[in-house]
Each structure stands twice: as structure tokens, then as C-alpha cells.
Amino acid sequence: MDTYNFWQDFFDTYQSLSDWLKVLWLIVPPAFVLGLVALTLRFRLAGRRMNSGLDGELVYSIRRDAQNRIHILSHMPLGDGNPPLLLADPAGGDKAEHGREQHIA
């Protein structure tokens, strides 16, 4: 086994293939690489287009806790001039400050 050479065996096998299989061996790897590059570029361009559409600011977050309760967090100060769109607790008994966030429900 000391005299075994992988590349010699590989090229010997390649020479013994039919002409159609030799053509496929020459076309498929570059086509695969070009297809992979095209898919990657398409994915990156679509990601940039998707992110460019979100030019606003985060207003609400919705989270679910361990007891399966849903909490709506407002990232804007709640006041008379800026009413929340989704007010789960109209009485306002459960509001808590979390930095800039206010806990609504």
C-alpha cells in the first residue's frame, strides 16, 4: 500500500470514463460553484431590500412568559399625546417601568 497514489488512481479512472461522463465532470463543478454564488448574492440582495423597508422605530414588543401570559411592551412613553394602539389593561393597574419600556399587560 505504500506505492498507492490517489491522484494517479483518480486520473486513471477519469481516462477510462466515456466521453459524456468526462464532459459532465468538466461542466458540473463550475456550474455548481456559479449556482452557489448566484444564490448567495440573491439572498444577500433580498436581505438588504427587506431590511431597507424597516426604516421606522420599534414601538411595541409582544412576549410570552413561563405562565403562558402575553405581555405587550411599549417602547414609547405613554402619555396623553401618545396613546397606545393596543391597551390590554385600560385601568392601567399593571404598568411598570423597564428603562424606556413600559409594561402594558
Side-chain angles (χ1 to χ4, degrees), residues 7-91:
W7 292 110
Q8 185 178 5
D9 193 29
F10 176 78
F11 288 123
D12 186 42
T13 304
Y14 179 77
Q15 284 181 345
S16 66
L17 292 175
S18 68
D19 290 339
W20 287 107
L21 289 177
K22 287 179 186 177
V23 169
L24 283 177
W25 267 91
L26 292 175
I27 292 175
V28 169
F32 174 77
V33 170
L34 288 175
L36 188 63
V37 167
L39 283 175
T40 303
L41 289 176
R42 188 178 204 181
F43 174 74
R44 291 187 71 188
L45 289 175
R48 285 184 184 166
R49 265 191 248 123
M50 184 173 55
N51 288 339
S52 68
L54 301 174
D55 289 339
E57 63 178 319
L58 182 63
V59 179
Y60 291 102
S61 293
I62 300 175
R63 302 225 168 115
R64 185 185 314 245
D65 64 5
Q67 288 81 25
N68 207 21
R69 292 179 297 189
I70 295 177
H71 301 275
I72 300 171
L73 300 173
S74 174
H75 299 282
M76 298 178 66
L78 299 176
D80 294 332
N82 192 9
L85 296 175
L86 301 172
L87 186 59
D89 184 14

Side-chain angles (χ1 to χ4, degrees), residues 84-101:
L85 296 175
L86 301 172
L87 186 59
D89 184 14
D94 271 350
K95 291 182 182 175
E97 292 285 334
H98 298 290
R100 276 191 67 213
E101 300 176 351

